Amino acid sequence: MPSLQAVLEPDALAEDNEVHLLPRRPQAHPCSSRITNESFSALVNRTLDATGLRAAISDNPELVIHDTDGVVNSNSWSLRCLMPAKRHGVHRTVHRG
């Protein structure tokens, strides 16, 4: 893993004259997909899995991706996907419950 090294001029306390800073490791987060459209749900799940940052799905996910009205879980971030009738794309709204 690459690091950034910083060195200070020698002083009375030699122990704090050098430091190696490492990049922060990405942390996995529990995400839940509650999309009712089976094809889109499969796409969302494959995408989440491909990031390598999806933790095991639990009863208390940090992010819930859904396509229904209302708040899914008040302790989670919620990403609501709206599927337009003409299928010109996916519209998204994000809110914190």
Side-chain angles (χ1 to χ4, degrees):
M1 182 177 289
S3 68
L4 175 67
Q5 180 181 7
V7 180
L8 299 175
E9 294 293 323
D11 61 12
L13 184 60
E15 288 79 17
D16 70 350
N17 292 345
E18 184 175 345
V19 65
H20 294 267
L21 303 173
L22 299 172
R24 185 175 179 170
R25 295 181 124 191
Q27 182 179 358
H29 298 279
C31 301
S32 175
S33 172
R34 299 182 186 165
I35 303 289
T36 56
N37 179 296
E38 289 182 27
S39 322
F40 188 56
S41 178
L43 175 65
V44 167
N45 282 306
R46 283 194 314 268
T47 302
L48 289 171
D49 292 339
T51 67
L53 297 175
R54 183 181 193 182
I57 298 173
S58 68
D59 292 334
N60 297 309
E62 292 178 14
L63 173 65
V64 178
I65 301 171
H66 62 99
D67 58 359
T68 57
D69 290 333
V71 176
V72 179
N73 181 337
S74 63
N75 295 322
S76 302
W77 282 94
S78 174
L79 173 64
R80 180 177 177 212
C81 299
L82 304 174
M83 301 294 288
K86 294 183 180 181
R87 296 189 174 254
H88 288 301
V90 177
H91 302 279
R92 298 168 294 281
T93 57
V94 178
H95 63 87
R96 175 74 172 176

